[in-house]
Amino acid sequence: QYMRGTVTAFAPFDARADAEALRKAMKGMGTDEETVLKILTTRNNAQRQEIASAFKTLFGRDLVDDLKSELTGKFETLMVSLMRPAYIFDAHALKHAIKGAGTNEKVLTEILASRTPAEVQNIKQVYQQEYEADLEDKITGETSGHFQRLLVVLLQANRDPDVGVNEALVEQDAQVLFRAGELKWGTDEEKFITILGTRSISHLRRVFDKYMTISGFQIEETIDRETSGDLEKLLLAVVKCIRSVPAYFAETLYYSMKGAGTDDDTLIRVMVSRSEVDLLDIRQEFRKNFAKSLYQMIQKDTSGDYRKALLLLCGGDDD
């Protein structure tokens, strides 16, 4: 798989040496945060797992527990997040999104709209192993209506494979969406859910073009007018990810930092989950769409060791 991450395997890599350096950084009075962040942001996840295992072998201690007891605040959250393998990271984020009072629809939307079918299958498996619970049951227990139905469709991870585009079906789907939305009094949400949730990516990109030709509107404008609330946000996220996952995440990062206050949970979640996948592409889209670099925005919006670590994950400035 072609990866466009900012974090890649570190060489020359020595798990024992890294484990020793981390122990030294956290032992005794005070913590040497600089060493901790330098090591954890420049090794990839597989290497971090090896470091954790060497740490336990050498010192009989759990690296994550030590990080939790030695670090605080957002910096701690970021470092602990970096220690979770990708699918466990997503499963953990989903579990917390549906745990306790109130559901965090934003997290459900972001993860299920942007992950590939294979990734969704892996997340479901890991969720079952880690929490001895069925992810779909948990999500249906906490959501309702058309929003719930589209989440369930996405959880099936049965999107058509990308194998050539059938122009007749493109035309048909575009017409169906047009009739289900703009031409109808009220909206036939089910048609949107089925088509956007199951057709292949390349097919849907053609459908969006055809839709524009038929209706004179971008599909996003129609969704905006015809739906509302959580369903609208999820449909829009699905459409944006079909057009470009990196552009979707660039926008997500931008809005996590724009205006007063920072949505640190989202900032951490995206930076960690995309650092080995497509963060270079996300940076490019960010620069193109928001007239400033991701690096500069993080620099302006965060502080301390948390900022240093995020900037290292960002991997460079695009200005």
Side-chain angles (χ1 to χ4, degrees):
Q1 199 181 358
Y2 176 57
M3 288 303 192
R4 296 272 299 151
T6 50
V7 177
T8 51
F10 183 84
F13 173 62
D14 181 343
R16 287 179 74 106
D18 284 348
E20 280 162 0
L22 286 169
R23 175 73 183 123
K24 190 175 161 205
M26 294 189 282
K27 197 174 158 183
M29 288 293 287
T31 305
D32 168 8
E33 285 90 355
E34 192 86 15
T35 297
V36 174
L37 72 88
K38 282 224 164 95
I39 291 175
L40 297 186
T41 58
T42 55
R43 312 302 189 256
N44 69 10
N45 199 285
Q47 291 175 326
R48 289 181 213 127
Q49 303 314 317
E50 284 185 56
I51 295 168
S53 146
F55 196 88
K56 196 164 267 184
T57 302
L58 294 170
F59 310 113
R61 304 174 68 91
D62 185 289
L63 176 55
V64 173
D65 289 347
D66 277 13
L67 290 168
K68 284 178 177 170
S69 71
E70 293 295 325
L71 310 174
T72 55
K74 296 174 287 206
F75 180 54
E76 176 201 337
T77 307
L78 178 57
M79 293 298 109
V80 170
S81 297
L82 284 170
M83 292 306 301
R84 290 198 179 99
Y87 298 127
I88 292 186
F89 182 79
D90 282 346
H92 179 267
L94 290 168
K95 178 165 171 62
H96 280 265
I98 45 189
K99 185 179 129 186
T103 305
N104 188 336
E105 291 82 4
K106 188 177 185 174
V107 175
L108 299 182
T109 294
E110 180 197 300
I111 293 177
L112 293 174
S114 65
R115 303 306 189 252
T116 64
E119 287 169 339
V120 173
Q121 294 291 11
N122 281 320
I123 293 165
K124 289 197 298 191
Q125 252 175 313
V126 166
Y127 196 94
Q128 184 71 52
Q129 286 158 5
E130 292 286 304
Y131 307 116
E132 295 178 354
D134 182 78
L135 178 58
E136 189 182 317
D137 289 349
K138 289 289 178 196
I139 286 179
T140 50
E142 296 295 329
T143 55
S144 61
H146 290 107
F147 175 63
Q148 179 200 74
R149 285 180 211 158
L150 179 50
L151 288 172
V152 170
V153 168
L154 295 171
L155 279 166
Q156 302 319 298
N158 274 334
R159 195 176 280 292
D160 297 337
D162 266 312
V163 284
V165 173
N166 171 346
E167 288 301 329
L169 187 60
V170 166
E171 173 81 35
Q172 187 188 317
D173 279 351
Q175 293 285 359
V176 167
L177 289 172
F178 186 44
R179 287 198 296 273
E182 298 289 349
L183 285 184
K184 194 175 182 337
W185 180 254
T187 310
D188 184 350
E189 290 92 351
E190 214 143 88
K191 297 278 195 290
F192 280 83
I193 290 169
T194 304
I195 292 174
L196 294 177
T198 60
R199 300 287 198 251
S200 78
I201 302 293
S202 48
H203 171 85
L204 284 167
R205 284 176 183 158
R206 291 282 304 115
V207 170
F208 298 161
D209 293 343
K210 179 64 75 175
Y211 185 87
M212 178 75 193
T213 313
I214 294 170
S215 69
F217 299 114
Q218 293 287 10
I219 188 85
E220 290 91 334
E221 297 173 76
T222 295
I223 290 170
D224 202 25
R225 260 199 304 277
E226 299 287 330
T227 60
S228 62
D230 294 324
L231 174 67
E232 178 192 349
K233 289 180 188 137
L234 181 55
L235 283 168
L236 285 173
V238 168
V239 168
K240 285 169 184 173
C241 288
I242 285 158
R243 291 195 189 275
S244 162
V245 170
Y248 169 71
F249 279 117
E251 186 184 325
T252 304
L253 285 169
Y254 178 74
Y255 286 106
S256 75
M257 293 182 278
K258 185 183 183 289
T262 305
D263 175 358
D264 291 292
D265 287 343
T266 298
L267 179 55
I268 291 170
R269 197 172 51 249
V270 177
M271 292 298 287
V272 170
S273 65
R274 308 316 288 185
S275 60
E276 289 179 46
V277 184
D278 53 4
L279 195 48
L280 289 170
D281 296 329
I282 293 169
R283 270 170 40 185
Q284 233 171 356
E285 290 291 336
F286 197 99
R287 184 74 194 80
K288 187 174 89 190
N289 298 332
F290 303 110
K292 61 177 76 154
S293 71
L294 175 59
Y295 192 91
Q296 285 163 356
M297 200 153 178
I298 291 171
Q299 204 160 25
K300 190 176 106 317
D301 229 71
T302 56
S303 61
D305 294 314
Y306 175 54
R307 170 165 64 191
K308 282 182 198 163
L310 283 172
L311 291 175
L312 280 170
L313 282 180
C314 184
D317 197 345
D318 299 297
D319 255 9

